[in-house]
Amino acid sequence: MMREAFAGLAAVQAPFVFTQSNLQDFDRCPRRFYLRWIARIEWPQTALSRDHEMDLLHRSRFHRLVQQWLLNISVSHIIESEPADSPLRLWWQAFLDHPPSLPAGPRFPEVELAAPMGEHVLLARMDLLAVEPRRRLTIFDWKTGLFYPQLDQLRESWQTVVYRYLAVEAGAPYFGEPAVPADAVEMIYWFSEYPATPLILPYSAEEHASAKERLRERIAHIASLPADGFTPCEDERTCVLCPYWGYCGRSKSEEVLAGADITAGQADEWDWSDIPEFEY
Ligand code: SF4
């Protein structure tokens, strides 16, 4: 009886915090969005995900290293204590050999920006916001995934869309003017595997208008779904690295595993997960 009473009700409760991480989860698999961000089922460990979890830990530590370095805190003792073959050592050396070109001016590592989206909230935590007051806001993101994305793929990603949108909508206190013009914002991705070739994405008023519409539509759609509207993804290869597979009756069959390189992530999508932006 109670079950019937809730049938058809929207599963998302306002105010819900949308992020690039959960928007991307929805694109990959609506069911995963539900389990992780609405039902709040703890991220389960599985034998197949253990290596992946360790990889995420290394990536998270690299982000902390860069944050410390940006705050002028020495990190050399941390690097020296790492095993010779630690990915952390390799990534840090790449960072030192090919550092991103940081503009002069205030730097805000791990800064959070948020803006309302109707009755919900859009939130981002940026690896670094570099400020040239009243002139430019540059968002930096450190990527430690194996794949070098196409520029178009990068431009259309939820991370780029959300971060640049929020720099305009919520970046004014950093910029130093009442409003941030879209063309004063740019985003730079630096890649540990390709440190000499960062990708730079400038922004424009047209892109900002398009981002606003895309975000509004997607958030309205997600917020309208009842619990049973968050359906499992169709492509079972998406499930290979998903820790929730036990909840979905998705087996790690030989056939499915053969189509995916577990250690490298899914070849057809750059590993946007990198480190989870928020886990709360
Ligand atoms: S196991 Fe597959 S269907 Fe289930 S939540 Fe994960 S990606 Fe979605």
Side-chain angles (χ1 to χ4, degrees), residues 58-126:
H58 283 308
R59 297 179 192 206
S60 176
R61 289 185 65 207
F62 177 73
H63 280 69
R64 296 291 87 74
L65 273 184
V66 176
Q67 181 185 9
Q68 283 184 236
W69 179 82
L70 287 165
L71 294 170
N72 292 319
I73 299 171
S74 172
V75 299
S76 52
H77 62 289
I78 300 173
I79 297 298
E80 284 160 12
S81 65
E82 284 294 302
D85 60 349
S86 163
L88 213 54
R89 269 184 185 265
L90 300 175
W91 296 340
W92 186 249
Q93 196 56 50
F95 191 81
L96 294 181
D97 290 346
H98 300 282
S101 178
L102 297 173
R107 296 165 186 172
F108 299 91
E110 300 294 325
V111 70
E112 289 186 11
L113 295 183
M117 294 295 294
E119 57 185 345
H120 302 292
V121 175
L122 186 66
L123 176 66
R125 180 183 294 152
M126 299 166 180

Side-chain angles (χ1 to χ4, degrees), residues 219-257:
I219 287 172
H221 172 60
I222 295 172
S224 74
L225 291 175
D228 61 4
F230 291 84
T231 50
C233 58
E234 290 179 8
D235 186 349
E236 293 199 20
R237 285 174 302 173
T238 306
C239 307
V240 170
L241 285 175
C242 178
Y244 291 116
W245 64 276
Y247 288 86
C248 305
R250 292 279 167 97
S251 69
K252 309 273 185 183
S253 67
E254 293 297 319
E255 194 182 335
V256 171
L257 292 177

